[in-house]
Amino acid sequence: MSLRERMRQALPEAMRARDRVAVSVLRATLGALDNAEAVPVAETRGMALEQAPVGVGATEVARRELDEDRITEIVRAEAEERLATAAGLTEATQQEHAGRLRAEAAVLQRLLDEPTSGRTR
């Protein structure tokens, strides 16, 4: 099972368990993956109206497809970003937030550490 599939499977489980930390980080990271698949805005800006594409689906563009290595890279970056931010929160009043960021990173790290079927590391 791919990393993204494991994340999608973990999300409803976390929701049922009312695990707010896991739900939050899984939603955010799945969103980051979706954003990475987005294509840049087409070069049609500034085009005269009569040159603009017309009709249903005329402006639709296929999303990028991320391979498993790129997905893993994005998820790892999300975890590392949370850990780096938590490390920078040194004030006593920021410790609760830092703890949450570390807990979110731990959720992602557990998913990264799970073996994937049919894939070597």
Side-chain angles (χ1 to χ4, degrees):
M1 184 180 308
S2 75
L3 178 55
R4 177 181 257 163
E5 290 169 339
R6 291 195 318 271
M7 290 174 64
R8 285 186 177 149
Q9 184 178 31
L11 181 57
E13 292 170 5
M15 292 170 87
R16 279 191 293 278
R18 291 188 162 86
D19 184 345
R20 290 182 177 178
V21 171
V23 169
S24 175
V25 74
L26 289 169
R27 283 182 172 165
T29 306
L30 286 167
L33 294 174
D34 288 342
N35 288 342
E37 291 176 328
V39 294
V41 176
E43 296 291 324
T44 58
R45 289 198 173 178
M47 183 182 287
L49 181 60
E50 61 273 6
Q51 295 174 324
V54 179
V56 175
T59 59
E60 294 296 316
V61 177
R63 293 182 69 83
R64 295 179 183 153
E65 289 189 33
L66 303 175
D67 63 12
E68 190 66 16
D69 289 335
R70 181 68 179 125
I71 290 170
T72 300
E73 184 180 299
I74 291 168
V75 174
R76 184 167 285 116
E78 289 287 317
E80 289 170 358
E81 180 181 341
R82 282 165 172 76
L83 291 173
T85 302
L89 298 175
T90 58
E91 299 293 324
T93 57
Q94 298 171 322
Q95 292 311 298
E96 185 176 332
H97 183 59
R100 182 181 174 105
L101 290 171
R102 284 191 287 276
E104 288 179 356
V107 169
L108 296 178
Q109 195 59 52
R110 280 192 301 273
L111 287 164
L112 286 165
D113 291 343
E114 287 180 14
T116 56
S117 58
R119 184 170 177 252
T120 58
R121 288 183 171 227

